[in-house]
Amino acid sequence: AKRRSLLSQIWNSYNSAIKNRPLTTKVTVAAFIFSTSDSVTQYLTSTEPEFKWDGARALSGAIFGVTGTSFLHFWWMVLERMVESQFPIAKYRLLNTLLKVGIDQSIAAPFYIYSYFMVTNLVQNISFDNEQWEKVIQTTRKKANDIILPTMLVHW
């Protein structure tokens, strides 16, 4: 029997999981990628002589990975069906693609980016004091409102 490489085994396991449990697999991978990439970024951009890991920041990335990926999973399912029902890809390949990109970028992208800022900031600044929590929510909402348009202009 032919021996498969470790990477091949991992890839085959991932493909099996994505087929059998697509949402669970996607959110698990996203949580791992978001938290790992944030942790590596923290390390690479640290200017302190002694690196101090910000676990709340990495956790906020993981939590957004789960929420953002869940949203995208269902959003793309709806978007695919909606556009396909009006402009089947077999007949309107280019139009189908352009519509999905246009709708996604005008509706989902702003929501996704706004949500990223809201979720990560709220998780990093969580408070169990109601007055403090209200302040965190108001500050986060104001910052998110202030950055969404400039961020989207750069994004587009």
Side-chain angles (χ1 to χ4, degrees):
K2 187 179 176 185
R3 242 177 85 141
R4 296 183 317 189
S5 71
L6 178 60
L7 283 177
S8 175
Q9 291 173 25
I10 292 169
W11 183 249
N12 289 338
S13 294
Y14 171 78
N15 281 324
S16 175
I18 202 83
K19 180 181 171 191
N20 296 321
R21 294 173 305 282
L23 183 57
T24 302
T25 303
K26 289 175 188 178
V27 298
T28 302
V29 170
F32 174 78
I33 290 171
F34 271 80
S35 62
T36 302
S37 64
D38 181 77
S39 296
V40 170
T41 300
Q42 286 183 49
Y43 179 77
L44 293 175
T45 60
S46 176
T47 56
E48 300 298 316
E50 181 111 2
F51 171 67
K52 186 173 182 314
W53 180 63
D54 184 347
R57 182 176 142 176
L59 176 65
S60 75
I63 290 172
F64 180 76
V66 170
T67 58
T69 300
S70 297
F71 164 72
L72 291 175
H73 173 83
F74 292 107
W75 164 249
W76 273 96
M77 203 180 325
V78 168
L79 185 61
E80 291 279 350
R81 289 180 183 151
M82 182 179 71
V83 173
E84 181 68 20
S85 72
Q86 299 300 309
F87 300 98
I89 199 164
K91 187 174 180 182
Y92 302 101
R93 186 180 185 117
L94 181 61
L95 181 59
N96 178 292
T97 301
L98 291 174
L99 280 171
K100 286 187 285 194
V101 170
I103 294 168
D104 179 64
Q105 291 300 298
S106 60
I107 296 171
F111 177 75
Y112 183 87
I113 290 171
Y114 188 88
S115 298
Y116 174 80
F117 185 78
M118 291 293 293
V119 169
T120 56
N121 199 50
L122 290 174
V123 170
Q124 290 176 52
N125 295 291
I126 196 162
S127 172
F128 297 103
D129 173 341
N130 282 342
E131 278 184 43
Q132 183 65 26
W133 186 238
E134 287 293 324
K135 225 185 260 186
V136 168
I137 291 171
Q138 288 173 356
T139 303
T140 299
R141 188 177 299 135
K142 182 181 178 342
K143 283 182 188 176
N145 289 339
D146 290 346
I147 68 162
I148 190 64
L149 184 58
T151 302
M152 290 313 301
L153 290 174
V154 169
H155 172 75
W156 290 323

